[in-house]
Amino acid sequence: MAAPTPGHFITFEGVEGCGKTTQILRLADRLRARGLPVTLTREPGGTPFGQAVRRVLLDPAGPPREPAGELLLYLADRCQDLAQCIRPALGAGHVVLCDRYHDATLAYQGAARGIARSVIDRLAAALDILPPDLTFLLDIDPERSLARAIARNAATAEGAAESRFEGETLAFHRAVRAGYLELARQEPERFAVIDADRAPDPIFADIAARTDVLLAGRRRED
Ligand code: TYD
């Protein structure tokens, strides 16, 4: 069991192109304007080791890999992020905002790639994967959001190098969405499901309001 930490741990999830990165940056600005210490991270790629792992994972021209190998690389990235970034920041009382985290593994490698939930849960327990305090699921039909993600990635060399999952079928992305919604159904207290098929402003209003509830309440004591 992890030691008690005074910060708040908030994660953001959703299918490709759901708009979470824009919302995270807005929330970070809002919290900092109120004088709160904020740490931003993302998975994969929140640490120097994670950036190297990210390049391997997301390269559309990269070699084929077994689902289990892909799973272990995401977990390797997560362990590094927890040790080097998330736990120290929480210990220092920061609000940690993480762009994708363990629910992405359950939705992509679990629900969509078909790895059994029990396998992922056993690994997560062995690795002491810290549960978030609050998870925003930006929910949108992937048919509507994928076009946005593909256009964005095609616009830059960095994006083109990271488009591995955009080459998956619509059925794959629908399975990811269904996986996320099932996780939210199982843990309604931790998840806030946000309708992401709207303009950025009303989406952000919902995120800000739910974050205020968390920050007004108890601190972490896991
Ligand atoms: P991300 O950089 O958030 O992509 P985007 O912002 O374009 O949606 O995430 C990178 C990709 O990695 C994304 O396709 C989802 C995938 N992913 C997993 O399959 N498993 C995981 O555990 C994580 C964290 C991400």
Side-chain angles (χ1 to χ4, degrees):
M1 213 38 162
T5 51
H8 297 275
F9 184 21
I10 305 175
T11 61
F12 291 76
E13 303 281 1
V15 296
E16 317 292 308
C18 67
K20 63 189 159 40
T21 307
T22 311
Q23 298 293 336
I24 293 170
L25 295 176
R26 281 183 77 167
L27 185 60
D29 282 349
R30 183 171 190 271
L31 297 175
R32 284 181 178 134
R34 287 163 55 185
L36 292 165
V38 175
T39 291
L40 285 175
T41 187
R42 70 167 178 178
E43 294 189 5
T47 64
F49 173 75
Q51 281 157 23
V53 175
R54 181 180 176 96
R55 281 193 291 277
V56 172
L57 279 167
L58 300 186
D59 179 3
R65 76 283 310 264
E66 288 299 308
E70 183 178 272
L71 166 68
L72 292 170
L73 284 180
Y74 279 111
L75 292 175
D77 167 74
R78 185 154 308 128
C79 287
Q80 193 74 24
D81 199 24
L82 277 165
Q84 221 179 320
C85 178
I86 297 171
R87 285 189 200 277
L90 290 173
H94 287 210
V95 181
V96 175
L97 305 181
C98 191
D99 189 341
R100 293 197 189 280
Y101 186 65
H102 193 64
D103 297 303
T105 300
L106 293 166
Y108 281 79
Q109 282 66 52
R113 287 262 194 262
I115 297 178
R117 172 77 191 257
S118 59
V119 171
I120 301 176
D121 283 351
R122 289 211 310 270
L123 288 166
L127 296 171
D128 198 16
I129 301 295
L130 188 68
D133 297 306
L134 172 62
T135 297
F136 287 109
L137 172 54
L138 273 64
D139 181 53
I140 183 169
D141 184 339
E143 199 162 8
R144 288 178 61 76
S145 66
L146 263 177
R148 185 158 66 180
I150 289 167
R152 183 193 57 200
N153 276 353
T156 65
E158 193 203 16
E162 295 194 342
S163 56
R164 191 171 188 99
F165 280 89
E166 276 130 38
E168 296 286 348
T169 61
L170 190 55
F172 177 90
H173 292 288
R174 289 215 164 109
V176 171
R177 183 194 194 192
Y180 273 133
L181 288 171
E182 174 59 18
L183 292 168
R185 198 190 59 76
Q186 289 168 7
E187 281 188 82
E189 306 240 305
R190 173 166 69 86
F191 273 91
V193 181
I194 306 287
D195 175 4
D197 200 353
R198 294 181 293 165
D201 283 354
I203 295 173
F204 185 65
D206 287 354
I207 289 173
R210 183 65 185 82
T211 302
D212 287 350
V213 170
L214 174 75
L215 298 184
R218 65 165 186 85
R219 297 192 154 255
R220 291 190 63 86
E221 30 176 278
D222 50 327

